[in-house]
Amino acid sequence: ADCWMERDTITYSAALSACARGEQWVQALQLFHEMGVCRVERDTITYNAAVSACEKGEQWVQALQLFREMVESRVERNTITYSAAVSSCEKGEQWVQA
């Protein structure tokens, strides 16, 4: 990761949201991972964008993993978080998980 380039939570949030809109879940997860490596704070918005990208890419396992990570990291979840997580389970036909 190019941690020397100045990137912040807002920059990553915008990039993650663009990945979600473009259904580029792999790229979104790479950027999300890079945030951790570069020690950029992950907030509700960045998590929501990553969960949404996974949801749009029908990657329910990754979406729920991110949701659980939010709980463990004590990052606030909101309506967008829950909606994307439930939708990802629905798309993956994981009714019990939803």
Side-chain angles (χ1 to χ4, degrees):
D2 292 326
C3 297
W4 58 271
M5 293 180 69
E6 182 151 350
R7 296 179 187 149
D8 59 13
T9 304
I10 295 169
T11 305
Y12 275 102
S13 294
L16 286 165
S17 293
C19 289
R21 283 191 304 276
E23 298 182 17
Q24 299 296 316
W25 67 272
V26 173
Q27 183 65 33
L29 291 181
Q30 288 172 342
L31 287 170
F32 193 79
H33 174 73
E34 184 178 297
M35 288 181 77
V37 171
C38 295
R39 300 185 192 283
V40 176
E41 180 185 0
R42 296 170 175 166
D43 63 9
T44 303
I45 296 168
T46 54
Y47 270 100
N48 285 350
V51 172
S52 293
C54 291
E55 177 258 328
K56 288 178 176 45
E58 299 183 12
Q59 302 299 313
W60 68 271
V61 173
Q62 286 84 353
L64 290 185
Q65 182 177 345
L66 289 167
F67 184 86
R68 282 189 211 98
E69 189 178 309
M70 287 180 81
V71 173
E72 293 166 4
S73 300
R74 295 191 165 100
V75 174
E76 183 179 346
R77 280 112 26 234
N78 60 21
T79 306
I80 296 168
T81 315
Y82 286 101
S83 177
V86 169
S87 180
S88 69
C89 291
E90 178 186 5
K91 287 180 179 179
E93 298 183 2
Q94 299 300 312
W95 313 118
V96 175
Q97 297 289 338

